[in-house]
Amino acid sequence: MTYVSRIKRILVTGGAGFLGSHLCETLVAEGHDVACVDNFFTGNRRNISHLLNQPNFELIRHDITFPLYVEVDEIYNLACPASPVHYQHDPVQTTKTSVHGAINMLGLAKRVRARILQASTSEVYGDPTMHPQSEQYWGHVNPIGPRSCYDEGKRCAETLFFDYHRQHRLRIKVARIFNTYGPRMHPNDGRVVSNFVVQALQGEPITIYGDGLQTRSFCYVDDLIGGLRGLMNTDDSVVGPVNFGNPVESTMRQLAEAVISVTGSISRIEFKALPQDDPKQRCPDISRAKDIIGWQPRVELMDGLRKTAEYFERLLTAGVDLGRR
Ligand code: NAD
Ligand code: UDP
Ligand code: UDP
């Protein structure tokens, strides 16, 4: 166990999800008292089952759009469906989770004087006209499209964080997370890495939307969690927003080829229609994270894809229903 000078009571909302479960695991290993709150909309008990018998881990089934009264020192607010398939399934609930959920968690932080970190997103930049995206860029977001429930919900949550900071002197941290991947991604969430890896493992066609020349940058989950921990541990003057992501950009064609190579798959590539408002390019400027906490991603795409493929292979071998779309 890593030495910690002070054991904290830490609340992780969305703790049974992909990123949340890795964060809970790290915090439990550091010896903190961790309360994981989740309504299991996209999260899964499987992600945290190995933590359930730890004395410093507690699972609370709760929807953060409703008030929550617990006593904690720090809050990581991660609860929110993150993939287009899931956040568009019930868009009103997505906005409620982002906005009402943020109000409740900020109200909680205000009452107990806890530090609070928001898992914001590169989607606040929309379909960006500035490249790469730095935190100074205000974004280019459609307020009424199918992605808006998520993009505008997350933008409003950022507004709330900064207003609670200015109005109530709350100690806030806002992290803008770019595409992150790794073990425990939802196999059925339609995100490109999980789709390609599961398709490749099953010998199904790899579905590229549009011409496949759109770009994203992919950060491995362990790197991202290190960034969130680093940001939370900065002194109170650091509020963000801070970009976290991998500045190495790939087209979806390059990603498909990388997945085929890592899995040794026989899958062929199939082109499908591009979803509405799909951003053409996205790449973080991470100079602020580098300056503030010396953070930069370390895991190479091929290594991260290998670990992700091993995870999905284990699920397939165990006969877990991946409920493919
Ligand atoms: P995820 O869907 O795996 O995790 C979200 C978790 O929140 C799930 O466990 C879900 O059940 C829970 N949840 C949803 N609504 C809730 C509610 N109302 N009350 C309580 N729990 C609720 O997604 P993830 O990839 O782990 O994303 C975690 C956070 O990081 C999200 O806020 C997301 O917007 C943000 N983020 C993720 C990425 C990424 O690439 N993974 C990128 C940018 C931002
Ligand atoms: N809240 C919560 N837990 C707490 C304290 C507050 O869930 O421990 C919720 C509360 O229900 C309220 C919201 O947080 O709706 C915002 O709280 P705040 O104190 O900012 O506003 P107010 O209660 O004055 O509306
Ligand atoms: N995408 C794709 N095939 C898939 C799933 C997604 O080509 O099976 C594309 C999608 O259109 C987008 C990119 O991959 O251009 C990243 O999609 P994802 O949903 O993972 O993340 P986001 O669009 O939110 O960055």
Side-chain angles (χ1 to χ4, degrees):
M1 187 188 295
T2 317
Y3 173 77
V4 279
S5 55
R6 186 166 163 251
I7 302 297
K8 294 182 188 132
R9 296 164 303 171
I10 304 182
L11 172 64
V12 180
T13 76
F18 162 48
L19 298 181
S21 62
H22 286 276
L23 179 59
C24 287
E25 193 174 273
T26 302
L27 296 171
V28 165
E30 287 176 4
H32 297 294
D33 231 329
V34 178
C36 160
V37 161
D38 208 293
N39 69 350
F40 293 114
F41 174 51
T42 51
N44 196 309
R45 282 180 83 89
R46 185 176 60 227
N47 291 340
I48 41 141
S49 56
H50 59 299
L51 299 176
L52 290 172
N53 60 359
Q54 297 287 323
N56 56 336
F57 181 79
E58 185 183 1
L59 173 63
I60 304 168
R61 183 189 279 260
H62 175 80
D63 180 332
I64 62 156
T65 61
F66 297 100
L68 175 70
Y69 288 83
V70 289
E71 311 308 310
V72 290
D73 305 304
E74 282 181 358
I75 303 169
Y76 288 85
N77 188 35
L78 271 61
C80 188
S83 78
V85 167
H86 286 143
Y87 70 64
Q88 289 171 20
H89 171 75
D90 184 349
V92 173
Q93 173 66 13
T94 299
T95 302
K96 282 185 188 169
T97 294
S98 281
V99 177
H100 290 184
I103 291 174
N104 286 329
M105 292 309 104
L106 288 160
L108 167 60
K110 181 180 135 205
R111 180 178 62 79
V112 299
R113 303 310 302 169
R115 226 174 224 206
I116 180 165
L117 181 147
Q118 167 70 353
S120 190
T121 168
S122 53
E123 295 286 332
V124 300
Y125 301 123
D127 190 0
T129 53
M130 181 195 201
H131 198 73
Q133 294 84 55
S134 77
E135 293 86 349
Q136 284 83 13
Y137 178 52
W138 288 356
H140 179 231
V141 177
N142 177 356
I144 56 167
R147 297 176 82 104
S148 314
C149 57
Y150 183 72
D151 300 8
E152 297 290 15
K154 289 285 190 177
R155 285 168 70 93
C156 183
E158 286 200 11
T159 307
L160 284 161
F161 268 68
F162 278 85
D163 282 334
Y164 268 80
H165 172 63
R166 284 183 287 255
Q167 198 173 326
H168 299 299
R169 295 187 308 282
L170 226 63
R171 296 179 296 154
I172 63 155
K173 313 277 175 191
V174 174
R176 289 187 180 152
I177 303 169
F178 285 64
N179 299 60
T180 302
Y181 71 101
R184 302 196 202 126
M185 288 185 90
H186 200 296
N188 180 22
D189 70 2
R191 277 191 268 195
V192 70
V193 173
S194 43
N195 267 12
F196 284 6
V197 169
V198 176
Q199 287 163 344
L201 290 175
Q202 297 190 313
E204 292 172 0
I206 307 247
T207 54
I208 291 185
Y209 302 159
D211 59 11
L213 297 179
Q214 71 271 38
T215 69
R216 295 292 186 277
S217 56
F218 298 100
C219 181
Y220 189 66
V221 60
D222 291 355
D223 282 331
L224 192 272
I225 299 302
L228 298 186
R229 295 288 295 123
L231 179 60
M232 182 62 109
N233 290 332
T234 50
D235 66 47
D236 292 348
S237 63
V238 178
V239 293
V242 181
N243 286 341
F244 289 102
N246 196 327
V248 179
E249 210 173 338
S250 312
T251 66
M252 294 313 101
R253 286 185 191 215
Q254 287 167 332
L255 179 70
E257 280 155 19
V259 169
I260 288 173
S261 145
V262 157
T263 53
S265 174
I266 52 156
S267 293
R268 60 187 177 79
I269 289 177
E270 185 177 286
F271 289 91
K272 290 192 152 188
L274 188 69
Q276 189 189 328
D277 292 344
D278 198 88
K280 285 179 274 306
Q281 52 181 14
R282 197 185 292 131
C283 180
D285 175 341
I286 58 164
S287 21
R288 190 177 279 184
K290 271 188 188 156
D291 288 349
I292 295 173
I293 53 172
W295 181 86
Q296 60 180 12
R298 311 234 168 250
V299 179
E300 300 285 341
L301 182 64
M302 295 305 259
D303 294 333
L305 287 177
R306 206 165 287 119
K307 291 181 188 170
T308 309
E310 282 163 11
Y311 167 75
F312 283 119
E313 199 149 26
R314 278 198 301 279
L315 289 193
L316 288 167
T317 309
V320 173
D321 176 15
L322 299 189
R324 306 288 303 132
R325 279 168 203 276

